[in-house]
């Protein structure tokens, strides 16, 4: 089972056996095929000059929100893949399914799949929505909110701790980021671009 | 030592006519307790020997190099720090010291970072101190702001607090200190994650996307762009580069990081957010290691 190898690096667990990985998949009802779509979104971001991160929100086996980085085009530094996906749920999906009043319940039963560790801002958003399962690819050493720079979940209410699975197809996610940073960020302030050289 | 609070830090509270600003600083800067460590010291036999002694003693280790090597005592003699260890019996420096006075004495453990810490450290043992201009400003009267600047802060605080009392919703305002005008104001919405900070940033972003569009034509149900002209930032800078942000409440961790992503310059807030505050109460994001932009944060007491 390819899935089981992919999550052999779980936070705090270190390398785990194929059977344990299968256990984690089963008990949390994870379906790592959703990462395919997250990666597709990340590639789309790269193709339009955005930081390549893609994100999928799944509720009862169904994708109810998806997003990719939208920062440069929107000129809004908070339009990260996760917040874009959340907005799709709260607007399009909720209206279509008549779920506007049940959003809190829906989010509290969602799974989030994202190619790169959510930043501190996004991790706090996920924490406030009480999204119980978070699966991500590469760690984010600059902004990571799931432990890399700060563990946002340890700062929240003690009654809620999401399950976080990391390292799923991390190399692929890093490869996409490398491709992006080979070209300069077109929206970075001029001075910063110069300083890098 | 420890964390006794008996002495309230004098640099923390500075009164203007109506407001008090408290800079939210890294613990190492705001700390007023001088931690001590015991090192070996001894009296110097004769004042003339001081410079010779300095040549004989090994240099202080890096964790003690904030300390002056020699101090004069009340009895007009000189006393020197030997180090973490005492001297070997055959050490030539011993000839210049009074052996019976070799003992462990408490000295400040950490380098003083503010002039207040410097003064307090010196009561124990004289230290070296190189004041950091920015930090000295922050811990000085009115956090280094002029009377005019304090007037601006008071006005903007009034704007956000008035709206907070009117709407019963947390409020955020963005102020441009270069053009000296308020840029936009927004309150939170009851819907999930639509906090005032995110709403302000969304408004600003919309004005950036449509620079030709007259801002006055746009309408939002949570706030408005206040300035009449098209918002600055023609240079494809980040949204809040150089901007000051005023808040009725300390932003949650999400909003605090959103402000950091947007490169705000200074943040002023009135009420703490004990549950999820990202700039004082739960974490101080702007003090974390590894963060790629720093802004100054002030708690305002009316």
């Amino acid at each position: 089972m390819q899935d089981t190898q992919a999550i052999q690096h779980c936070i705090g667990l270190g390398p785990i056996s194929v059977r344990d990985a299968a256990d984690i998949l089963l008990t949390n009802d994870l379906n790592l095929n959703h990462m395919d779509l997250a990666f597709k979104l990340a590639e789309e971001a790269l193709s339009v000059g955005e930081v390549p991160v893609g994100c999928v929100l799944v509720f009862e086996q169904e994708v109810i929100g998806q997003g990719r980085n939208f920062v440069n085009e929107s000129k809004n530094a908070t339009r990260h893949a996760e917040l874009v996906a959340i907005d799709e749920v709260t607007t399009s999906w909720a209206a279509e399914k008549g779920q506007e009043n049940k959003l809190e319940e829906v989010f509290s039963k969602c799974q989030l799949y994202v190619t790169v560790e959510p930043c501190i801002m996004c991790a706090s958003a996920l924490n406030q929505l009480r999204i119980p399962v978070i699966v991500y690819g590469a760690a984010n050493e600059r902004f990571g909110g799931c432990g890399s720079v700060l563990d946002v979940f340890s700062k929240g209410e003690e009654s809620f701790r999401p399950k976080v699975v990391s390292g799923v197809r991390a190399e692929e996610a890093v490869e996409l980021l490398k491709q992006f940073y080979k070209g300069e960020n077109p929206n970075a302030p001029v001075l910063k671009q110069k300083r890098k050289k | 030592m420890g964390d006794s609070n008996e002495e309230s830090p004098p640099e923390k509270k500075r009164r203007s006519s109506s407001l008090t600003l408290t800079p939210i600083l890294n613990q190492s800067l705001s700390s007023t307790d001088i931690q001590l460590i015991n090192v070996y010291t001894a009296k110097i036999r004769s004042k003339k020997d001081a410079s010779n002694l300095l040549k004989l003693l090994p240099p202080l280790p890096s964790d003690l190099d904030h300390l002056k090597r020699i101090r004069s005592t009340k009895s007009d003699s000189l006393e020197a720090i030997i180090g973490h260890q005492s001297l070997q019996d055959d050490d030539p420096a011993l000839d210049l010291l009074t052996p019976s006075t070799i003992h462990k004495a408490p000295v400040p453990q950490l380098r003083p970072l503010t002039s207040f810490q410097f003064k307090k450290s010196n009561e124990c043992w004289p230290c070296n101190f190189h004041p950091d201009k920015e930090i000295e400003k922050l811990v000085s009267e009115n956090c280094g702001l002029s009377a005019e600047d304090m007037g601006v802060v008071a006005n903007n605080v009034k704007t956000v607090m008035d709206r907070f009392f009117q709407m019963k919703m947390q409020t955020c305002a963005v102020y441009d200190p270069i053009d000296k005008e308020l840029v936009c104001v927004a309150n939170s919405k009851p819907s999930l994650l639509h906090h005032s900070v995110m709403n302000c940033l969304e408004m600003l972003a919309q004005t950036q996307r449509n620079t030709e569009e007259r801002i006055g034509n746009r309408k939002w149900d949570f706030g408005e762009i206040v300035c009449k002209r098209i918002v600055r930032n023609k240079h494809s800078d980040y949204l809040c580069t150089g901007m000051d942000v005023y808040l009725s409440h300390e932003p949650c961790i999400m909003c605090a990081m959103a402000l950091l992503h947007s490169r705000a310059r200074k943040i002023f807030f009135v009420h703490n957010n004990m549950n999820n505050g990202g700039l004082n109460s739960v974490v101080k994001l702007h003090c974390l290691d590894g963060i790629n932009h720093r802004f100054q944060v002030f708690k305002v007491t009316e």
Side-chain angles (χ1 to χ4, degrees):
Chain A
M1 203 173 164
Q2 188 203 342
D3 281 356
T4 48
Q5 283 186 342
I7 61 159
Q8 284 194 345
H9 309 280
C10 281
I11 275 191
L13 293 179
I16 55 173
S17 73
V18 172
R19 178 182 288 176
D20 287 348
D23 256 9
I24 288 173
L25 282 175
L26 269 163
T27 51
N28 295 298
D29 205 19
L30 293 183
N31 178 356
L32 295 187
N33 292 332
H34 289 304
M35 284 300 266
D36 290 346
L37 179 53
F39 272 100
K40 210 178 255 175
L41 291 159
E43 279 163 20
E44 182 190 309
L46 182 66
S47 71
V48 296
E50 299 277 0
V51 177
V53 182
C55 173
V56 179
L57 271 163
V58 176
F59 174 62
E60 293 176 345
Q61 321 281 358
E62 183 205 349
V63 174
I64 62 169
Q66 47 181 282
R68 59 151 173 94
N69 242 314
F70 197 58
V71 167
N72 293 333
E73 195 185 328
S74 69
K75 310 261 186 203
N76 186 341
T78 70
R79 302 318 288 155
H80 289 187
E82 298 90 328
L83 297 193
V84 173
I86 289 167
D87 272 1
E88 190 176 283
V89 175
T90 55
T91 54
S92 333
W93 184 82
E96 192 186 310
K97 304 276 176 180
Q99 298 274 0
E100 287 99 333
N101 300 325
K102 289 194 179 159
L103 279 173
E104 274 181 53
E105 192 192 329
V106 169
F107 280 121
S108 73
K109 290 175 180 166
C110 267
Q111 300 169 343
L112 180 123
Y113 298 83
V114 59
T115 56
V116 177
E117 177 187 358
C119 79
I120 293 169
M121 172 184 72
C122 293
S124 175
L126 305 180
N127 198 40
Q128 293 180 51
L129 294 175
R130 295 174 172 265
I131 291 177
V133 181
I134 296 161
V135 180
Y136 71 79
N140 178 348
E141 301 296 343
R142 288 171 70 204
F143 303 120
C146 305
S148 290
V149 176
L150 178 73
D151 182 0
V152 168
F153 307 117
S154 71
K155 305 284 178 187
E157 289 168 48
E158 272 171 37
S159 58
F160 173 72
R161 282 287 163 86
K163 288 200 173 118
V164 182
V165 178
S166 67
V168 180
R169 296 167 65 176
E171 295 81 2
E172 265 174 83
V174 169
E175 192 49 47
L176 283 174
L177 290 172
K178 274 188 188 160
Q179 283 184 44
F180 175 81
Y181 285 109
K182 260 186 233 157
E184 295 275 3
N185 179 349
N187 249 27
V190 180
L191 278 173
K192 276 226 168 118
Q193 285 182 1
K194 280 186 189 154
R195 210 178 297 151
K196 267 183 212 159
K197 282 166 194 169
Chain B
M1 298 201 250
D3 47 40
S4 75
N5 275 333
E6 39 198 80
E7 194 172 345
S8 103
E11 83 274 23
K12 262 196 163 178
K13 300 226 158 144
R14 294 291 182 184
R15 203 154 271 287
S16 135
S17 50
S18 56
L19 318 163
T20 310
L21 291 186
T22 309
I24 309 298
L25 302 169
N26 200 313
Q27 171 66 27
S28 64
L29 292 175
S30 55
S31 166
T32 54
D33 292 321
I34 303 304
Q35 300 201 30
L36 302 175
I37 183 175
N38 284 321
V39 297
Y40 283 95
T41 64
K43 286 207 171 131
I44 304 175
R45 263 185 220 272
S46 151
K47 279 190 169 184
K48 293 177 302 199
D49 294 332
S51 60
N52 284 333
L53 179 73
L54 285 178
K55 284 175 209 151
L56 289 175
L57 286 172
L60 283 177
S62 60
D63 62 323
L64 297 178
D65 68 4
H66 57 285
L67 300 163
K68 300 259 193 220
R69 192 77 200 232
I70 295 174
R71 73 165 178 184
S72 52
T73 65
K74 280 173 203 143
S75 51
D76 202 31
S77 58
L78 294 178
E79 199 175 7
I81 293 175
I82 299 169
H84 290 299
Q85 261 93 46
S86 189
L87 295 167
Q88 302 282 343
D89 288 342
D90 57 352
D91 196 301
L94 272 182
D95 297 337
L96 305 178
L97 296 167
T98 314
S100 64
T101 63
I102 295 180
H103 72 297
K104 276 191 146 184
V107 297
Q109 185 175 22
L110 302 171
R111 177 179 304 281
L113 299 174
T114 63
S115 48
F116 177 79
Q117 289 176 359
F118 176 54
K119 202 173 143 229
K120 243 188 134 178
S121 299
N122 278 354
E123 288 167 11
C124 174
W125 189 278
C127 292
N128 301 311
F129 175 57
H130 307 286
D132 178 308
K133 262 192 187 163
E134 276 300 306
I135 293 168
E136 288 307 310
K137 241 171 105 178
L138 278 176
V139 298
S140 67
E141 188 166 355
N142 287 335
C143 303
L145 297 186
S146 67
E148 191 193 347
D149 288 343
M150 285 302 284
V152 169
V153 171
N155 272 342
N156 291 331
V157 166
K158 185 175 181 324
T159 301
V160 291
M161 293 316 286
D162 283 354
R163 191 184 182 100
F164 165 62
F165 286 121
Q166 186 200 338
M167 309 294 290
K168 306 274 183 291
M169 286 286 176
Q170 299 189 8
T171 299
C172 170
V174 177
Y175 177 82
D176 180 342
I178 293 171
D179 290 347
K180 298 188 196 296
E181 66 180 335
L182 204 62
V183 178
C184 64
V185 190
N187 50 264
S188 298
K189 289 210 297 179
S191 42
L192 293 171
L193 304 182
H194 283 130
H195 301 174
S196 58
V197 168
M198 302 307 262
N199 290 344
C200 263
L201 294 175
E202 179 52 32
M203 280 196 299
L204 281 179
Q206 286 188 21
T207 65
Q208 297 302 302
R209 292 205 289 271
N210 276 318
T211 39
E212 277 85 52
E213 188 185 347
R214 284 268 148 224
I215 292 154
N217 299 342
R218 289 293 321 219
K219 289 269 181 287
W220 294 273
D221 63 351
F222 47 70
E224 57 271 341
I225 297 282
V226 180
C227 61
K228 299 222 166 44
R229 74 211 149 74
I230 285 162
V231 180
R232 198 154 56 96
N233 245 339
K234 316 113 189 168
H235 319 295
S236 76
D237 252 343
Y238 291 95
L239 273 182
C240 289
T241 304
M243 302 281 183
D244 295 344
V245 176
Y246 291 81
L247 298 150
S248 62
H249 294 71
E250 180 190 357
C252 74
I253 294 174
M254 173 184 76
C255 290
M257 192 65 191
L259 290 170
L260 208 129
H261 280 319
S262 305
R263 306 291 196 270
R265 188 183 77 136
K266 291 180 180 174
I267 316 282
F268 300 83
F269 69 87
V270 178
H271 295 294
N272 275 321
N273 172 352
M274 299 312 291
N275 285 333
N276 198 20
L279 297 180
N280 189 28
S281 306
V282 177
V283 281
K284 295 177 186 172
L285 273 193
H286 58 297
C287 300
L288 288 180
D289 289 336
I291 289 292
N292 68 339
H293 171 72
R294 303 228 174 249
F295 43 51
Q296 295 174 347
V297 179
F298 307 91
K299 185 175 188 314
V300 182
T301 314
E302 287 181 284

